[in-house]
Amino acid sequence: MQIPTFQDVQEAIPRVRQVLAPTALYEWPGLSQLTGTNFYLKHENHQPVGAFKVRGGINLVSTLSDEERAAGIIGCSTGNHGQSLAYAARKFGVKCTIVVPKNNNPDKVHAIKLLGAEIIEAGADFEEAKQYLEQELVDGKRRYIHSANEPKLIAGVGTQAIEIFETLKAPDVILVPVGMGSGVCGTGIVARHLSPTTEMIGVAAANAPANQLSWKSGTMQTTESADTWSEGVATRSAAELTQKIMQSVVDDFLLVSEDEMRIATYHILKETHNLAEGAGAATLAAVLKNKARFQGKTVVAILSGGNLNLAELPEILRLGSEQ
């Protein structure tokens, strides 16, 4: 696997733009006041599937060979990667199969089905679902698209950062939620090229720290559980390619608690009238948790997705109203 370059991201732009419009980058006064920063949200929740990953899906599927398109694609996902592949597959006339964990976010499963993909349920979590796919379904015919170890996915996702720097030439900080790492890697590759002084920070759930532990140690780490309501960051192990890239593009890696993500989701809803999923709100949660560190800075937080399981909303509203 070759590490994608800034040139790869640039080459992805026309492929992505032929299908997807740029998303908004807004400075929200209420969130700026709350955090003591100039706080911008990059609204990847405005994508047609409600999350950033569709950029990578479009970039990769659009470059498949005729033989690969005829055979179809397969992937494993808790939701957003699956929607990305299903959306791109429908756009380019490719059959798509997605493996999801049992008891997955039902709204995300429904959304994948609506896009025409076949759903297979397997395993108790993402790791078990992926293990089932790789052991039972990879057949050498269908193109298996890993959620992180795919240079074209990472390059496609990096186009979100091109759009950020078209508006803000040199923000002090960009925070990106980390599930398997394609978002922080694509964004970091662009940031290192266009604004080396911009600090790149990954954010994950404290209950699912495998990526942070891997980044800190420089070795691949696995945890026994990923006990978080935020399925977008619910991973028990890291991915080789994204970890390799993170070593050179990530300056720091912060963890946030379950309730910190809920409270951040509440503030986003209150101040911007946007619904954020847990991973999408994790970046604001990290800034609120470390206010002194970010005081007075121009901060960009990637709102990676808005595909919230609505069953979480009552607890989010309850905790938020107590603030």
Side-chain angles (χ1 to χ4, degrees):
M1 293 177 291
Q2 286 191 327
I3 291 177
T5 64
F6 180 71
Q7 180 64 33
D8 292 325
V9 180
Q10 287 184 307
E11 290 175 2
I13 293 171
R15 299 185 197 120
V16 172
R17 290 273 170 89
Q18 71 176 341
V19 180
L20 305 172
T23 59
L25 179 70
Y26 291 143
E27 189 268 324
W28 291 99
L31 296 180
S32 291
Q33 184 180 60
L34 186 68
T35 59
T37 68
N38 298 312
F39 192 89
Y40 288 77
L41 281 178
K42 178 61 172 164
H43 283 282
E44 290 299 291
N45 59 310
H46 292 176
Q47 293 287 7
V49 300
F52 77 104
K53 283 183 177 287
V54 68
R55 296 173 181 270
I58 292 293
N59 189 47
L60 192 155
V61 175
S62 69
T63 61
L64 293 178
S65 68
D66 291 341
E67 292 78 12
E68 287 172 322
R69 293 190 186 200
I73 61 174
I74 189 166
C76 181
S77 175
T78 56
N80 289 340
H81 176 58
Q83 289 184 72
S84 163
L85 296 184
Y87 182 90
R90 186 176 71 163
K91 195 74 180 176
F92 296 103
V94 179
K95 185 178 179 181
C96 178
T97 300
I98 301 297
V99 180
V100 301
K102 297 175 182 177
N103 303 314
N104 198 55
N105 179 337
D107 295 335
K108 288 186 174 181
V109 174
H110 180 62
I112 296 169
K113 287 181 178 178
L114 285 177
L115 291 167
E118 176 191 3
I119 291 285
I120 296 174
E121 295 184 341
D125 61 12
F126 174 79
E127 300 300 329
E128 290 188 4
K130 184 164 75 74
Q131 185 178 47
Y132 173 82
L133 182 157
E134 292 176 350
Q135 291 179 352
E136 303 294 334
L137 301 179
V138 174
D139 53 15
K141 298 176 182 177
R142 290 175 291 186
R143 172 69 155 84
Y144 170 34
I145 301 178
H146 192 279
S147 58
N149 290 331
E150 294 282 359
K152 283 193 169 69
L153 279 187
I154 295 167
V157 168
T159 60
Q160 70 183 2
I162 296 288
E163 294 170 15
I164 291 170
F165 288 105
E166 286 173 347
T167 300
L168 292 174
K169 299 303 180 188
D172 295 310
V173 185
I174 299 177
L175 297 102
V176 189
V178 180
M180 292 299 286
S182 63
V184 75
C185 289
T187 302
I189 288 166
V190 173
R192 284 289 179 263
H193 187 88
L194 295 180
S195 180
T197 61
T198 296
E199 187 179 18
M200 282 296 308
I201 298 178
V203 183
N207 284 2
N211 272 288
Q212 192 238 29
L213 294 172
S214 300
W215 176 79
K216 278 194 164 184
S217 67
T219 59
M220 301 294 284
Q221 302 289 314
T222 300
T223 58
E224 291 186 4
S225 66
D227 187 18
T228 174
W229 66 274
S230 174
E231 64 272 357
V233 292
T235 52
R236 290 195 282 115
S237 64
E240 294 175 7
L241 179 59
T242 48
Q243 275 296 322
K244 190 172 183 179
I245 298 168
M246 276 191 260
Q247 292 298 321
S248 62
V249 304
V250 172
D251 296 301
D252 202 357
F253 204 130
L254 304 177
L255 299 178
V256 292
S257 74
E258 301 300 290
D259 282 353
E260 285 165 347
M261 285 187 286
R262 290 187 175 99
I263 290 166
T265 302
Y266 171 83
H267 286 305
I268 290 171
L269 181 58
K270 179 182 178 182
E271 299 296 342
T272 79
H273 305 132
N274 279 262
L275 199 61
E277 59 187 86
T283 47
L284 172 60
V287 177
L288 290 171
K289 186 175 185 175
N290 300 275
K291 279 188 177 181
R293 172 175 179 170
F294 298 106
Q295 193 75 23
K297 294 184 177 181
T298 296
V299 173
V300 175
I302 305 291
L303 203 176
S304 57
N307 296 317
L308 178 70
N309 182 347
L310 293 181
E312 295 289 340
L313 199 52
E315 182 66 3
I316 287 165
L317 296 174
R318 185 190 69 79
L319 280 172
S321 65
E322 294 175 357
Q323 298 305 300

